[in-house]
Structure formats: structure tokens, C-alpha cells
Amino acid sequence: MADSLTIRRPDDWHLHFRDGETMRAVVPHTARQFARAIVMPNLSPPVTTTALAADYRDRILQAVPEGLDFIPLMTAYLTDDSDAGDLATGHADGVLTAAKLYPAGATTNSASGVTDVANIMGVLERMAEVGMPLCVHGEVVDHDIDIFDREAVFIDRVLEPLTRRLPELKVIFEHITTREAVSFVEDGGTNMAATITPQHLHINRNAILVGGIRPHMYCLPVAKREEHRLALRKAATSGSPRYFLGTDSAPHHRGDKESACGCAGIFNAPFALESYLQVFDEENALDRFEGFASLNGPRFYGLPANEERIVLERAPVEVPAQVAGGAEPIVPFHVGETLGWRMAR
Ligand code: DOR
Ligand code: ZN
């Protein structure tokens, strides 16, 4: 049993940094572990243009602790009125790495999202032409669809028709949570990939509801039944290049989670690598961790893998009750647990 693992420095292909003092509190956790991260644009107001993304990138860079090399990869938030020309220019100039599709109303700060993919077909065609990837929050928002079915229904109603119509568009089906999503990705063309979060590999829906409501286990898409968690673990550790690391780390202050209407989002940034590694260890797949964490993402996005190496060691790491979050503390994923790996350097 290996007690240490040396891999290329990984990247996080999906997370939320927020803004202001919360951002300044959370960025160092990610910069400690990852070389790059795809930064979600769901600020309030959202990051909808190249100019807004360039400004946001500058604010993030100022929050990176001295001595750490970290590159934020920016995304633009798609709306019904997105400007294809601005997105293509932002992509060509290296400001925008991708664009993000939030179905309007699907999750935190998604009210200005896309009400019907038909409204942005011209933008998506242009993105396909210039090779700009599309990040997708894959849930329908229809009130008659059960929240546990929203991802599977999204595949049938939106994703399958979209990828059939535009097979040349690179699509990242983000934070997948179901076996239906795994089989859709498996059957997709070479322009289809998916990210998987640590929480969806660790918990099923019981974690949110058994023995009391546990708001810190609540995120969107919500964790599903055990059979889905097992399908995700199999996919992530399979060695397939279609899956890669994307934490969906989503900080919300303690009071906003522990509330009568608690926000969706799990803050996993402080121990993200440790959390994933525990899963790969349990699945006897440590030899496949580098592909998932450091190689598959850059290959799909058409970026070079990082040259630097990091070392992970088997050692107990205690997860604290809370971490600093600016105005108020934030409760991290795995609170109160002892994880079995740590990043040594
Ligand atoms: O749980 C989530 N939190 N899911 C999302 O899609 C958004 C995120 C957030 O921004 O808080
Ligand atoms: Zn997210």
C-alpha cells in the first residue's frame, strides 16, 4: 500500500470564489493546492462580459498569497442576451476560458440565466466555431419535476438535443450526480466530458436528511441515492479521460447555511485533494488519481498539463469546525472528520 504519491500539480475545473472579503478568505485554500481553477461567474450581478471577467480576474489575482503561483481561468455567465462577438473576442484574447450555462432559476444567483437554450443557439454556434468550451449546470427548473430527477430530465430535454445539433461544441457536464449522467457521458462523442465533486463521491442523500436536516451537506445538484454515488465513484476512478476534478467548492457563511432557507453549496476547498484522494484510495485506484486530477482536464480544455509536481502523503488531517470566511466563518466539508491524506509539498 503506497504511503506517498507524487503527481503533476492538479487543477480545479469548477469552483466558486465569490468576491470581496469572502473571496480573499477562500482563494488561498485553492491556491495552496491547485495551479489553475475554472472560476464560476455567478456573482451578483453576474460576470456576463469579457470586461467584467477581466476585472474579476484581477481581484482574484490580488487575493493569491505571495509565493504561490495560481492562475484563475475565467468564465462568462450566459444570458438570453449574451453577445457572441464579445465572448469570441474574450476567448481569443485569453480572458475567457469558457462560458457557463445556468438554466434560469436552477441555483444560486442564476436568475439571469438562460430561459431556453434556443435563445442562445447563435452564441453556442459561434463558440463551437472558435473552440470555446461550454460549462453546463445540468438541471431543469420545471416545478413539476422532482428535484432528484432534474439532472436526468435535463439530459433528455436539453443536453441530448443540444449535443446532437452541435456535436462540434465542447461540453463539460458539470458536477454530475447520477448514473444517467455517467452513461450519457460514456456514450457521448469526444467533445463531451464531465466533472465530479468530492461530495458526490462521499455522500448520498441520507447525509442531508437522516437524523436531522444537515444544511452543510446540501448543494445543487443535490446528492442522490447510493446507487448513483457508486456509479460516480466507478466513473471517476475508471481511468477514462472523460472525467476530471471539479470541486464545485461553494462557500456560504455559516448563518446563510444554518437557516430556515439555507443556501445550496458545500465549501470543500480547504481539503479538496485530501477528500478526493481518500476515495481513490478506498477504490484501490491511487494510480489513476493523476489522470483525474492533473491530466484529463487540461487535455479536454486544450491546455498544457502543469510541469510542477506535488507530493501527497498518508497522514491524519483533522478538519476544523470552521474556517475564516470574511464577515462570518464558513463550515468546511468533512467538518469534524479526520482525513487520511495530506499534501506534503
Ligand atoms: O450547490 C451549489 N452552489 N450549486 C450551484 O450550482 C451553485 C453553487 C453556489 O454558487 O453556491
Ligand atoms: Zn458550481
PDB file of all heavy atoms in Angstrom, residues 41 46-55 74-77 82-83 86-87 90 95-96:
ATOM      1  N   PRO A  41     -18.998  32.271 -12.728  1.00  0.00           N
ATOM      2  CA  PRO A  41     -19.316  33.700 -12.869  1.00  0.00           C
ATOM      3  C   PRO A  41     -20.598  34.131 -12.159  1.00  0.00           C
ATOM      4  O   PRO A  41     -21.111  35.212 -12.439  1.00  0.00           O
ATOM      5  CB  PRO A  41     -19.496  33.803 -14.389  1.00  0.00           C
ATOM      6  CG  PRO A  41     -20.160  32.495 -14.742  1.00  0.00           C
ATOM      7  CD  PRO A  41     -19.582  31.460 -13.794  1.00  0.00           C
ATOM      8  N   PRO A  46     -24.041  39.111 -12.132  1.00  0.00           N
ATOM      9  CA  PRO A  46     -23.176  38.089 -12.733  1.00  0.00           C
ATOM     10  C   PRO A  46     -22.111  38.649 -13.688  1.00  0.00           C
ATOM     11  O   PRO A  46     -22.251  39.745 -14.215  1.00  0.00           O
ATOM     12  CB  PRO A  46     -24.163  37.198 -13.493  1.00  0.00           C
ATOM     13  CG  PRO A  46     -25.400  37.988 -13.660  1.00  0.00           C
ATOM     14  CD  PRO A  46     -25.458  38.986 -12.563  1.00  0.00           C
ATOM     15  N   VAL A  47     -21.079  37.830 -13.890  1.00  0.00           N
ATOM     16  CA  VAL A  47     -19.958  38.182 -14.771  1.00  0.00           C
ATOM     17  C   VAL A  47     -20.352  37.778 -16.197  1.00  0.00           C
ATOM     18  O   VAL A  47     -20.150  36.640 -16.613  1.00  0.00           O
ATOM     19  CB  VAL A  47     -18.689  37.433 -14.321  1.00  0.00           C
ATOM     20  CG1 VAL A  47     -17.503  37.773 -15.220  1.00  0.00           C
ATOM     21  CG2 VAL A  47     -18.364  37.750 -12.866  1.00  0.00           C
ATOM     22  N   THR A  48     -20.944  38.713 -16.922  1.00  0.00           N
ATOM     23  CA  THR A  48     -21.547  38.365 -18.213  1.00  0.00           C
ATOM     24  C   THR A  48     -20.695  38.750 -19.413  1.00  0.00           C
ATOM     25  O   THR A  48     -21.010  38.332 -20.529  1.00  0.00           O
ATOM     26  CB  THR A  48     -22.909  39.082 -18.360  1.00  0.00           C
ATOM     27  OG1 THR A  48     -22.705  40.458 -18.016  1.00  0.00           O
ATOM     28  CG2 THR A  48     -23.953  38.474 -17.438  1.00  0.00           C
ATOM     29  N   THR A  49     -19.666  39.567 -19.203  1.00  0.00           N
ATOM     30  CA  THR A  49     -18.890  40.071 -20.347  1.00  0.00           C
ATOM     31  C   THR A  49     -17.393  39.866 -20.132  1.00  0.00           C
ATOM     32  O   THR A  49     -16.938  39.630 -19.010  1.00  0.00           O
ATOM     33  CB  THR A  49     -19.118  41.588 -20.532  1.00  0.00           C
ATOM     34  OG1 THR A  49     -18.601  42.252 -19.373  1.00  0.00           O
ATOM     35  CG2 THR A  49     -20.593  41.921 -20.715  1.00  0.00           C
ATOM     36  N   THR A  50     -16.648  40.029 -21.219  1.00  0.00           N
ATOM     37  CA  THR A  50     -15.190  39.926 -21.141  1.00  0.00           C
ATOM     38  C   THR A  50     -14.624  40.975 -20.186  1.00  0.00           C
ATOM     39  O   THR A  50     -13.732  40.672 -19.383  1.00  0.00           O
ATOM     40  CB  THR A  50     -14.587  40.136 -22.548  1.00  0.00           C
ATOM     41  OG1 THR A  50     -15.120  39.127 -23.413  1.00  0.00           O
ATOM     42  CG2 THR A  50     -13.075  40.034 -22.526  1.00  0.00           C
ATOM     43  N   ALA A  51     -15.150  42.188 -20.237  1.00  0.00           N
ATOM     44  CA  ALA A  51     -14.614  43.262 -19.378  1.00  0.00           C
ATOM     45  C   ALA A  51     -14.841  42.931 -17.900  1.00  0.00           C
ATOM     46  O   ALA A  51     -13.939  43.100 -17.069  1.00  0.00           O
ATOM     47  CB  ALA A  51     -15.286  44.586 -19.740  1.00  0.00           C
ATOM     48  N   LEU A  52     -16.023  42.441 -17.571  1.00  0.00           N
ATOM     49  CA  LEU A  52     -16.303  42.090 -16.168  1.00  0.00           C
ATOM     50  C   LEU A  52     -15.413  40.932 -15.717  1.00  0.00           C
ATOM     51  O   LEU A  52     -14.939  40.909 -14.576  1.00  0.00           O
ATOM     52  CB  LEU A  52     -17.786  41.718 -16.004  1.00  0.00           C
ATOM     53  CG  LEU A  52     -18.774  42.886 -16.094  1.00  0.00           C
ATOM     54  CD1 LEU A  52     -20.213  42.363 -16.174  1.00  0.00           C
ATOM     55  CD2 LEU A  52     -18.616  43.840 -14.910  1.00  0.00           C
ATOM     56  N   ALA A  53     -15.183  39.976 -16.621  1.00  0.00           N
ATOM     57  CA  ALA A  53     -14.339  38.829 -16.268  1.00  0.00           C
ATOM     58  C   ALA A  53     -12.893  39.264 -16.058  1.00  0.00           C
ATOM     59  O   ALA A  53     -12.211  38.775 -15.148  1.00  0.00           O
ATOM     60  CB  ALA A  53     -14.429  37.763 -17.362  1.00  0.00           C
ATOM     61  N   ALA A  54     -12.412  40.211 -16.869  1.00  0.00           N
ATOM     62  CA  ALA A  54     -11.027  40.692 -16.726  1.00  0.00           C
ATOM     63  C   ALA A  54     -10.858  41.396 -15.378  1.00  0.00           C
ATOM     64  O   ALA A  54      -9.859  41.200 -14.676  1.00  0.00           O
ATOM     65  CB  ALA A  54     -10.675  41.620 -17.883  1.00  0.00           C
ATOM     66  N   ASP A  55     -11.848  42.195 -14.993  1.00  0.00           N
ATOM     67  CA  ASP A  55     -11.780  42.886 -13.684  1.00  0.00           C
ATOM     68  C   ASP A  55     -11.823  41.880 -12.534  1.00  0.00           C
ATOM     69  O   ASP A  55     -11.085  42.000 -11.552  1.00  0.00           O
ATOM     70  CB  ASP A  55     -12.965  43.847 -13.516  1.00  0.00           C
ATOM     71  CG  ASP A  55     -12.821  45.073 -14.403  1.00  0.00           C
ATOM     72  OD1 ASP A  55     -11.728  45.268 -14.978  1.00  0.00           O
ATOM     73  OD2 ASP A  55     -13.810  45.819 -14.530  1.00  0.00           O
ATOM     74  N   MET A  74     -11.146  32.185 -16.386  1.00  0.00           N
ATOM     75  CA  MET A  74     -12.424  32.868 -16.223  1.00  0.00           C
ATOM     76  C   MET A  74     -13.511  32.323 -17.151  1.00  0.00           C
ATOM     77  O   MET A  74     -13.238  31.838 -18.258  1.00  0.00           O
ATOM     78  CB  MET A  74     -12.240  34.371 -16.456  1.00  0.00           C
ATOM     79  CG  MET A  74     -11.131  34.998 -15.623  1.00  0.00           C
ATOM     80  SD  MET A  74     -11.203  34.598 -13.855  1.00  0.00           S
ATOM     81  CE  MET A  74     -12.664  35.516 -13.379  1.00  0.00           C
ATOM     82  N   THR A  75     -14.747  32.460 -16.673  1.00  0.00           N
ATOM     83  CA  THR A  75     -15.908  32.059 -17.470  1.00  0.00           C
ATOM     84  C   THR A  75     -16.881  33.231 -17.555  1.00  0.00           C
ATOM     85  O   THR A  75     -16.918  34.070 -16.662  1.00  0.00           O
ATOM     86  CB  THR A  75     -16.645  30.866 -16.825  1.00  0.00           C
ATOM     87  OG1 THR A  75     -17.053  31.233 -15.501  1.00  0.00           O
ATOM     88  CG2 THR A  75     -15.753  29.641 -16.749  1.00  0.00           C
ATOM     89  N   ALA A  76     -17.660  33.246 -18.628  1.00  0.00           N
ATOM     90  CA  ALA A  76     -18.713  34.253 -18.766  1.00  0.00           C
ATOM     91  C   ALA A  76     -20.059  33.590 -18.533  1.00  0.00           C
ATOM     92  O   ALA A  76     -20.299  32.466 -18.985  1.00  0.00           O
ATOM     93  CB  ALA A  76     -18.683  34.865 -20.161  1.00  0.00           C
ATOM     94  N   TYR A  77     -20.906  34.290 -17.845  1.00  0.00           N
ATOM     95  CA  TYR A  77     -22.254  33.808 -17.488  1.00  0.00           C
ATOM     96  C   TYR A  77     -23.170  34.079 -18.682  1.00  0.00           C
ATOM     97  O   TYR A  77     -23.339  35.233 -19.088  1.00  0.00           O
ATOM     98  CB  TYR A  77     -22.649  34.609 -16.274  1.00  0.00           C
ATOM     99  CG  TYR A  77     -23.960  34.386 -15.581  1.00  0.00           C
ATOM    100  CD1 TYR A  77     -23.968  33.922 -14.264  1.00  0.00           C
ATOM    101  CD2 TYR A  77     -25.167  34.727 -16.168  1.00  0.00           C
ATOM    102  CE1 TYR A  77     -25.159  33.790 -13.568  1.00  0.00           C
ATOM    103  CE2 TYR A  77     -26.360  34.587 -15.473  1.00  0.00           C
ATOM    104  CZ  TYR A  77     -26.351  34.120 -14.166  1.00  0.00           C
ATOM    105  OH  TYR A  77     -27.527  33.997 -13.478  1.00  0.00           O
ATOM    106  N   SER A  82     -26.702  37.263 -24.365  1.00  0.00           N
ATOM    107  CA  SER A  82     -25.238  37.241 -24.489  1.00  0.00           C
ATOM    108  C   SER A  82     -24.797  37.655 -25.887  1.00  0.00           C
ATOM    109  O   SER A  82     -25.461  37.354 -26.880  1.00  0.00           O
ATOM    110  CB  SER A  82     -24.700  35.832 -24.205  1.00  0.00           C
ATOM    111  OG  SER A  82     -24.771  35.564 -22.838  1.00  0.00           O
ATOM    112  N   ASP A  83     -23.625  38.321 -25.925  1.00  0.00           N
ATOM    113  CA  ASP A  83     -23.090  38.840 -27.178  1.00  0.00           C
ATOM    114  C   ASP A  83     -21.998  37.882 -27.679  1.00  0.00           C
ATOM    115  O   ASP A  83     -20.917  37.810 -27.093  1.00  0.00           O
ATOM    116  CB  ASP A  83     -22.530  40.245 -26.874  1.00  0.00           C
ATOM    117  CG  ASP A  83     -21.838  40.878 -28.073  1.00  0.00           C
ATOM    118  OD1 ASP A  83     -21.620  40.185 -29.089  1.00  0.00           O
ATOM    119  OD2 ASP A  83     -21.513  42.076 -27.972  1.00  0.00           O
ATOM    120  N   ASP A  86     -18.517  39.433 -28.315  1.00  0.00           N
ATOM    121  CA  ASP A  86     -17.738  39.734 -27.103  1.00  0.00           C
ATOM    122  C   ASP A  86     -17.133  38.450 -26.538  1.00  0.00           C
ATOM    123  O   ASP A  86     -15.964  38.426 -26.143  1.00  0.00           O
ATOM    124  CB  ASP A  86     -18.643  40.412 -26.069  1.00  0.00           C
ATOM    125  CG  ASP A  86     -17.910  40.652 -24.758  1.00  0.00           C
ATOM    126  OD1 ASP A  86     -16.889  41.366 -24.773  1.00  0.00           O
ATOM    127  OD2 ASP A  86     -18.337  40.100 -23.721  1.00  0.00           O
ATOM    128  N   LEU A  87     -17.896  37.376 -26.502  1.00  0.00           N
ATOM    129  CA  LEU A  87     -17.382  36.118 -25.946  1.00  0.00           C
ATOM    130  C   LEU A  87     -16.236  35.583 -26.804  1.00  0.00           C
ATOM    131  O   LEU A  87     -15.208  35.138 -26.282  1.00  0.00           O
ATOM    132  CB  LEU A  87     -18.489  35.067 -25.847  1.00  0.00           C
ATOM    133  CG  LEU A  87     -19.682  35.394 -24.942  1.00  0.00           C
ATOM    134  CD1 LEU A  87     -20.609  34.201 -24.831  1.00  0.00           C
ATOM    135  CD2 LEU A  87     -19.238  35.845 -23.563  1.00  0.00           C
ATOM    136  N   GLY A  90     -13.194  37.699 -26.199  1.00  0.00           N
ATOM    137  CA  GLY A  90     -12.644  37.406 -24.874  1.00  0.00           C
ATOM    138  C   GLY A  90     -11.894  36.087 -24.860  1.00  0.00           C
ATOM    139  O   GLY A  90     -10.864  35.938 -24.192  1.00  0.00           O
ATOM    140  N   VAL A  95      -8.831  35.987 -22.133  1.00  0.00           N
ATOM    141  CA  VAL A  95      -9.508  36.401 -20.892  1.00  0.00           C
ATOM    142  C   VAL A  95     -10.519  35.339 -20.476  1.00  0.00           C
ATOM    143  O   VAL A  95     -10.601  34.980 -19.300  1.00  0.00           O
ATOM    144  CB  VAL A  95     -10.217  37.766 -21.076  1.00  0.00           C
ATOM    145  CG1 VAL A  95     -10.986  38.138 -19.814  1.00  0.00           C
ATOM    146  CG2 VAL A  95      -9.210  38.849 -21.436  1.00  0.00           C
ATOM    147  N   LEU A  96     -11.293  34.857 -21.429  1.00  0.00           N
ATOM    148  CA  LEU A  96     -12.335  33.875 -21.124  1.00  0.00           C
ATOM    149  C   LEU A  96     -11.884  32.481 -21.557  1.00  0.00           C
ATOM    150  O   LEU A  96     -11.551  32.269 -22.724  1.00  0.00           O
ATOM    151  CB  LEU A  96     -13.623  34.225 -21.867  1.00  0.00           C
ATOM    152  CG  LEU A  96     -14.316  35.530 -21.459  1.00  0.00           C
ATOM    153  CD1 LEU A  96     -15.500  35.795 -22.386  1.00  0.00           C
ATOM    154  CD2 LEU A  96     -14.775  35.473 -20.012  1.00  0.00           C
TER     155      LEU A  96
END
